[in-house]
Amino acid sequence: MKMLRFLLLILVSILHFSHFTKGKKPITSSSPSSTNLVSTSCVHASYPNICIRTLSSYNYVINTPKDLAKAAVNVTLSRAKKASNFLIKLKLQSKREKGALIDCIEQIGDSMYELRKAISELKHLHKGKGFKLQMSNLETWVSAALTNEDTCLDGFKEINGKIRYDVKRKITNVAKVTSNALYLINQL
């Protein structure tokens, strides 16, 4: 069962990623200034404007595509934490809302765990022996985070009103920066 879930996760990630990157060029290995690196790297991301806006403030620490990917995962983790805090503070009325919220908080918690693992892996990422395994781990963890965010939203499909709108807005925001982070990781 775990293997089936893992394979499904990989398939969903590949389909999601390929949808947004079809016909797009990878990041080049030239070394433009960090401002240019953010701009040129983000132009083909799933959500280019969000990518540029969220990563431009990291220009002072971005010197390489790896730095950019680390910054993108850090932004994603920060957004996931904010979304989790928002979800925890929600005041709900119905049992259905409470059940969906409990599941969503758990999914976002799982996303944050996976993003922390990705950040740790990025800190030790070096080309050479073990690089392919490290990249596979990174792609798996960030893809899993994206899947968890989508699963969270699924729980609110049958719920109408402001709660659904607010949750969708917050989680969609996290999913967009997660998708961008996955794109940037896949360009390493």
Side-chain angles (χ1 to χ4, degrees), residues 86 153 156 159-172:
F86 170 80
L153 290 176
F156 286 88
I159 297 170
N160 293 317
K162 184 171 174 15
I163 294 293
R164 177 182 176 185
Y165 172 79
D166 289 344
V167 169
K168 184 176 181 180
R169 182 176 46 85
K170 285 286 186 186
I171 302 305
T172 299

Side-chain angles (χ1 to χ4, degrees), residues 3-70:
M3 183 58 125
L4 180 60
R5 184 173 183 224
F6 177 75
L7 292 173
L8 182 59
L9 173 67
I10 296 298
L11 178 63
V12 167
S13 300
I14 290 168
L15 291 173
H16 184 270
F17 182 72
S18 66
H19 170 74
F20 291 109
T21 60
K22 199 172 200 172
K24 296 178 181 176
K25 296 177 185 175
I27 298 171
T28 62
S29 60
S30 62
S31 52
S33 72
S34 38
T35 302
N36 287 342
L37 182 60
V38 170
S39 297
T40 58
S41 300
C42 287
V43 75
H44 296 296
S46 305
Y47 303 94
N49 292 336
I50 292 171
C51 185
I52 292 168
R53 189 177 71 243
T54 59
L55 295 175
S56 291
S57 63
Y58 287 86
N59 279 339
Y60 65 96
V61 295
I62 297 173
N63 297 309
T64 66
K66 179 181 160 186
D67 294 338
L68 186 61
K70 278 194 289 190

Side-chain angles (χ1 to χ4, degrees), residues 55-110:
L55 295 175
S56 291
S57 63
Y58 287 86
N59 279 339
Y60 65 96
V61 295
I62 297 173
N63 297 309
T64 66
K66 179 181 160 186
D67 294 338
L68 186 61
K70 278 194 289 190
V73 177
N74 277 310
V75 165
T76 301
L77 179 58
S78 174
R79 295 275 173 106
K81 285 178 186 176
K82 288 177 184 175
S84 179
N85 290 335
F86 170 80
L87 295 170
I88 290 168
K89 293 176 185 175
L90 278 177
K91 305 247 187 288
L92 304 174
Q93 305 300 319
S94 72
K95 269 183 150 179
R96 179 180 271 172
E97 288 175 343
K98 289 176 185 175
L101 183 66
I102 289 168
D103 290 344
C104 187
I105 290 169
E106 183 179 330
Q107 294 294 325
I108 297 303
D110 290 347

